[in-house]
Amino acid sequence: MGDAEIIPIGTRGRPGRGTGKQPSTAARDLAPNRKPVAKPTSRPTPASRKPPVKKAPAQVPAAATAPVERPPARPATTTRDRGPLAGIPAGDWLAAFQHAALEIFGDRAEMQLARFLAFLRRRLTGDYVVDEYGFDQEVTQRFFMAALRPIAEKWFRIEVRGAENIPSEGGALVVSNHSGTVPVDGLMTMVSIHDHTGRFLRPLGADLVFSMPVVSTLARKGGATLACNEDAERMLSGGELVGVWPEGFKGIGKPYAERYKLQRFGRGGFVAAALRTGVPIVPLSVVGAEEIYPLVGNVPSLARLLGIPYIPITPFFPLLGPLGLVPLPSKWLLEFGEPIRTDEYDAGAADDPMLVFNVTDQVRETIQQTLYSLLMQRQSVFS
Amino acid sequence: MGAGRVVLVTGVSRDLGRRFARAVAADPSVGRVIGVDVVPPRGDIGDVSFVRADIRNPVIAKILAKEDVDTVVHMSVIATPGSAGGRNTMKELNVIGTMQLLAACQKAPSLQHLVVKSTTTVYGASSRDPAMFTEDMEPRRAPRAGYAKDVAEIEGYVRGLARRRPDVRVTTIRAANVIGPHVTSPITSYFRLPVIPTVLGHDPRLQFLHEQDLMDVLQHAVATDVPGTFNVAGDGIVMLSQAIRRLQRPSVPMPALAVGSLGSALRSARVADFSPEQLGLLTYGRGVDTTRMREILAFHPRFSSAEAFADFGSLLPPTGGRSERVLAGLARALPAPPPADQPAGADHG
């Protein structure tokens, strides 16, 4: 190979990374007239970096002859548009990812990677479907549930009882007590129901949820909708599993001293919705959520100023700052009670206030009694 | 001529009105179409006979009587102050014009059918909205100004006419955001911005109606004579974030106040016809229930919301989408084709 192409490495003494006056060590090592043994056998420590620089003038002629010997066609090396990630071809990225994925997932890695890539592309091109309430099933399943599941299983160690009381299909209304200062119990109920029955719980939220930025987006994507009769009836007649917390802010914002005492159940709108659509009401009692953020104080004047129902003060918040936001790891029990049928009542039942109040009381009593019995069975808050 | 029905269409100077008038004229059961507006239409109006009249003055009553009009299609409801020359003119055209037109209609003995093109803006947009508005629902917050208030007043006058002239069949079409390659409206000029401002932390639900479907539904309403109020929208919901991703345009989330002031800046610079009602829509979104449209009006739009939006976006060059191209490159390089992918329900995390 007479005129073998010499692959240039380094800057060959032309202005490049260095000052332009001296060739780099790499260039000196590769210069054709050099003996390869010139490199010192022991690597210089940072303290002994000076000597090679002093030696450098002796090497200059060797490197300076290089442009004469070779065609000067190569343009000066520039480092201009080289971002940290630019210029790496997609193939290299892919090879790196493939290799990493192979290490982690084993031989099904490529399939996994391809599926994940397809998912990412669907998200980025908007090629997915949301239902009329804005529920994004894919992202709920892949992200929200996956993120909440470890909290439910490892932090709160949720124990679910009576999951068979949730109908496997058709509309149903899950009515639960509400507690915990921050509506974590709703999220945990969503995960638990999904993991035990495969169905998505569609929570009904207060209008405050839908006026808050970020929260409103997440709520709609997660399947929530506004707690109003129109939406409740629409969802129930659409065959969805709807979750409702009729205590509302009175429930989650009650002081720790009143834990496990059910507050007033709204105006019974949820019962009217169930009666109109004839779906069963599944009472749910949640034990453990009261202890995650024990509410010991409130700043009503500041809360009024900010337009929110209460400002929580717990033993750790705001005393410990962000650390106080970590919920206490109480042990949770979720018990789904026997479904209360509403399809036996006649058509006008929803317009009979006395009947609505009676059914509301029945649901409320069931939840309260179950709460008491669960509290009796519980050995301690954290085990 | 002479045998068929006589249809009067208002607002033919604008593109949708002109095209609708032409489409009606092509209908064999329609004998004669009269287009009315204050300025002559810009395009070809075909068989439509144009009468230059202002619906704000009683001349319109004479036209109705002289031509023996039996069907009036009111399309002259203006959504943006920019095109009308100021908010006052817009309000006058919308509200006073409709009052005059309806007064003339009440006096016209030959009139049998009135079709009004309204909009789903009457429902407003707020955080207290139900997910889907049905026709009998009221807005949660009554609109205080602007287009939404105009439309609410117009619908009030239309209901008044329906009460006083029970022999006239009144059909009100509440159309969702009309979108299409040729539509110029606040929502289309918003999506035509190279970088789309969004309200930080909110992802509204949107519904679209393709321009062709609007033509079809109005024509259907003229042809079938079904009285009542109907929401008309394409099937399904498109989230704003999803719509922007489908357009492959970059978006800038900013606080609601900033979006509002940017919108008014764009309006005064005549870059985009951004209407104040739009801020509510872009924050809270709106969905309307179209069951009555399917079952009573028996109209089925050809385009779903997503398809209508895709048709609108097909002519817009993408200004973003870099990460998508990187991913597409990766996907091409990946040897294994993606397996039969169940988008949902298969993966259990």
Side-chain angles (χ1 to χ4, degrees):
Chain A
M1 304 211 305
D3 49 358
E5 181 77 37
I6 296 172
I7 300 162
I9 298 176
T11 66
R12 291 258 173 245
R14 277 181 290 278
R17 265 196 311 189
T19 56
K21 299 250 165 63
Q22 291 174 359
S24 68
T25 22
R28 269 181 270 123
D29 286 349
L30 285 164
N33 298 348
R34 259 189 71 78
K35 283 176 207 156
V37 288
K39 203 174 164 189
T41 43
S42 66
R43 291 187 63 82
T45 56
S48 60
R49 279 267 164 87
K50 276 250 148 67
V53 181
K54 276 193 185 138
K55 247 168 70 185
Q59 311 293 339
V60 169
T65 52
V68 185
E69 287 169 10
R70 24 189 328 98
R74 201 167 71 90
T77 312
T78 60
T79 55
R80 213 162 7 104
D81 45 20
R82 268 197 201 163
L85 296 180
I88 301 179
D92 288 11
W93 277 113
L94 184 74
F97 276 127
Q98 271 175 323
H99 191 73
L102 211 63
E103 292 280 313
I104 297 166
F105 300 113
D107 37 337
R108 288 190 61 239
E110 274 192 355
M111 300 279 272
Q112 295 262 15
L113 195 65
R115 202 184 300 159
F116 181 65
L117 205 65
F119 166 70
L120 267 188
R121 286 191 72 193
R122 272 202 308 280
R123 302 306 303 182
L124 273 177
T125 49
D127 185 17
Y128 49 89
V129 181
V130 296
D131 79 354
E132 58 190 25
Y133 307 97
F135 173 50
D136 193 333
Q137 189 178 339
E138 194 175 47
V139 86
T140 303
Q141 207 160 32
R142 292 216 181 197
F143 283 111
F144 298 164
M145 293 288 178
L148 292 172
R149 194 165 291 120
I151 302 174
E153 287 173 357
K154 301 278 161 24
W155 192 260
F156 296 127
R157 293 146 289 145
I158 292 180
E159 192 182 318
V160 176
R161 299 177 183 176
E164 68 280 355
N165 286 327
I166 302 170
S168 55
E169 57 188 12
L173 185 66
V174 175
V175 181
S176 169
N177 60 319
H178 211 10
S179 55
T181 308
V182 178
V184 180
D185 52 351
L187 300 177
M188 293 301 130
T189 309
M190 286 171 74
V191 177
S192 304
I193 288 182
H194 180 246
D195 289 358
H196 281 84
T197 66
R199 296 191 70 178
F200 289 96
L201 182 72
R202 310 293 301 269
L204 299 183
D207 63 330
L208 181 71
V209 170
F210 297 98
S211 59
M212 281 198 285
V214 182
V215 178
S216 70
T217 309
L218 294 180
R220 284 256 175 235
K221 280 203 195 328
T225 193
L226 184 76
C228 60
N229 269 327
E230 294 91 344
D231 280 16
E233 279 166 32
R234 195 179 173 85
M235 268 195 176
L236 288 172
S237 49
E240 302 282 356
L241 183 65
V242 179
V244 67
W245 290 264
E247 291 174 87
F249 290 111
K250 300 187 297 296
I252 47 171
K254 65 180 180 288
Y256 185 63
E258 287 176 31
R259 59 192 180 279
Y260 300 117
K261 281 184 198 151
L262 285 187
Q263 305 294 305
R264 183 169 61 84
F265 260 26
R267 279 167 273 180
F270 69 96
V271 169
L275 285 171
R276 279 206 189 91
T277 48
V279 301
I281 298 174
V282 182
L284 165 64
S285 313
V286 180
V287 163
E290 294 273 15
E291 285 90 5
I292 58 170
Y293 297 110
L295 189 80
V296 293
N298 186 7
V299 196
S301 48
L302 185 59
R304 257 200 307 278
L305 196 68
L306 294 176
I308 51 179
Y310 54 90
I311 291 196
I313 293 180
T314 73
F316 308 104
F317 182 83
L319 196 65
L320 297 185
L323 204 63
L325 293 175
V326 177
L328 296 182
S330 54
K331 161 89 179 165
W332 286 32
L333 294 169
L334 263 63
E335 180 160 335
F336 295 95
E338 289 265 320
I340 298 164
R341 289 183 63 178
T342 60
D343 51 354
E344 290 158 339
Y345 299 102
D346 49 356
D351 301 320
D352 178 0
M354 193 49 82
L355 179 70
V356 172
F357 282 135
N358 284 343
V359 178
T360 311
D361 279 348
Q362 186 191 347
V363 176
R364 190 169 177 276
E365 275 309 302
T366 312
I367 296 175
Q368 184 70 73
Q369 293 307 322
T370 317
L371 280 178
Y372 287 145
S373 71
L374 284 175
L375 285 169
M376 300 271 280
Q377 293 164 31
R378 181 170 78 156
Q379 270 107 35
S380 91
V381 173
F382 298 111
S383 68
Chain B
M1 293 281 268
R5 305 166 57 177
V6 181
V7 180
L8 182 132
V9 182
T10 65
V12 289
S13 74
R14 290 176 310 143
D15 192 48
L16 285 176
R18 177 178 64 81
R19 284 171 50 202
F20 170 69
R22 285 199 63 177
V24 172
D27 189 329
S29 73
V30 173
R32 186 162 148 71
V33 178
I34 303 152
V36 176
D37 212 325
V38 279
V39 283
R42 273 168 293 220
D44 181 13
I45 56 166
D47 287 342
V48 179
S49 37
F50 175 72
V51 177
R52 187 164 179 169
D54 191 342
I55 56 170
R56 283 172 293 176
N57 67 43
V59 156
I60 193 78
K62 287 182 189 150
I63 300 171
L64 283 179
K66 182 172 155 266
E67 303 280 355
D68 244 9
V69 173
D70 53 30
T71 305
V72 170
V73 183
H74 184 34
M75 291 189 68
S76 176
V77 183
I78 301 164
T80 53
S83 60
R87 167 73 191 129
N88 285 339
T89 325
M90 167 185 159
K91 176 164 184 167
E92 201 152 285
L93 279 171
N94 284 347
V95 179
I96 309 298
T98 304
M99 282 180 81
Q100 280 287 356
L101 179 72
L102 295 182
C105 287
Q106 197 177 328
K107 288 276 172 230
S110 59
L111 188 75
Q112 291 162 8
H113 194 194
L114 171 69
V115 178
V116 179
K117 190 237 150 199
S118 179
T119 159
T120 56
T121 310
V122 285
Y123 297 117
S126 82
S127 59
R128 291 159 186 251
D129 286 353
M132 301 302 255
F133 279 102
T134 55
E135 285 82 352
D136 47 4
M137 288 183 196
E138 297 279 312
R140 290 298 158 111
R141 283 183 193 139
R144 283 184 304 254
Y147 180 49
K149 190 177 183 211
D150 288 1
V151 178
E153 288 179 357
I154 289 170
E155 285 206 1
Y157 295 131
V158 171
R159 278 194 295 274
L161 177 85
R163 239 188 349 262
R164 289 188 291 268
R165 281 284 305 263
D167 58 315
V168 176
R169 287 178 296 262
V170 177
T171 313
T172 308
I173 303 292
R174 286 181 183 157
N177 288 305
V178 179
I179 207 163
H182 310 294
V183 178
T184 313
S185 72
I187 198 84
T188 58
S189 62
Y190 170 75
F191 280 116
R192 284 190 180 113
L193 292 175
V195 177
I196 299 175
T198 59
V199 179
L200 182 71
H202 287 280
D203 195 5
R205 295 167 304 128
L206 304 173
Q207 277 177 325
F208 298 113
L209 179 68
H210 194 270
E211 49 181 317
Q212 191 54 52
D213 281 329
L214 176 71
M215 300 286 132
D216 291 351
V217 73
L218 289 170
Q219 224 173 327
H220 181 84
V222 169
T224 54
D225 282 0
V226 183
T229 304
F230 302 97
N231 292 332
V232 178
D235 296 345
I237 288 270
V238 180
M239 307 298 278
L240 177 64
S241 62
Q242 197 181 5
I244 293 174
R245 286 179 198 172
R246 287 188 179 187
L247 282 184
Q248 301 219 355
R249 296 207 155 197
S251 63
V252 191
M254 44 175 81
L257 271 177
V259 175
S261 46
L262 180 75
S264 47
L266 288 176
R267 189 172 59 234
S268 46
R270 295 184 183 253
V271 177
D273 224 344
F274 195 90
S275 67
E277 298 79 40
Q278 221 174 324
L279 186 60
L281 178 69
L282 294 179
T283 311
Y284 302 112
R286 186 191 309 125
V288 295
D289 179 80
T290 53
T291 315
R292 269 174 64 84
M293 168 189 88
R294 294 171 186 288
E295 289 173 1
I296 297 174
L297 189 64
F299 175 76
H300 302 276
R302 260 190 287 165
F303 292 81
S304 70
S305 284
E307 286 161 2
F309 192 76
D311 189 44
F312 162 73
S314 60
L315 293 182
L316 289 182
T319 57
R322 183 166 182 273
S323 42
E324 206 286 318
R325 285 197 293 276
V326 170
L327 281 186
L330 280 182
R332 271 196 302 278
L334 204 70
D341 203 290
Q342 301 98 320
D347 191 56
H348 213 274

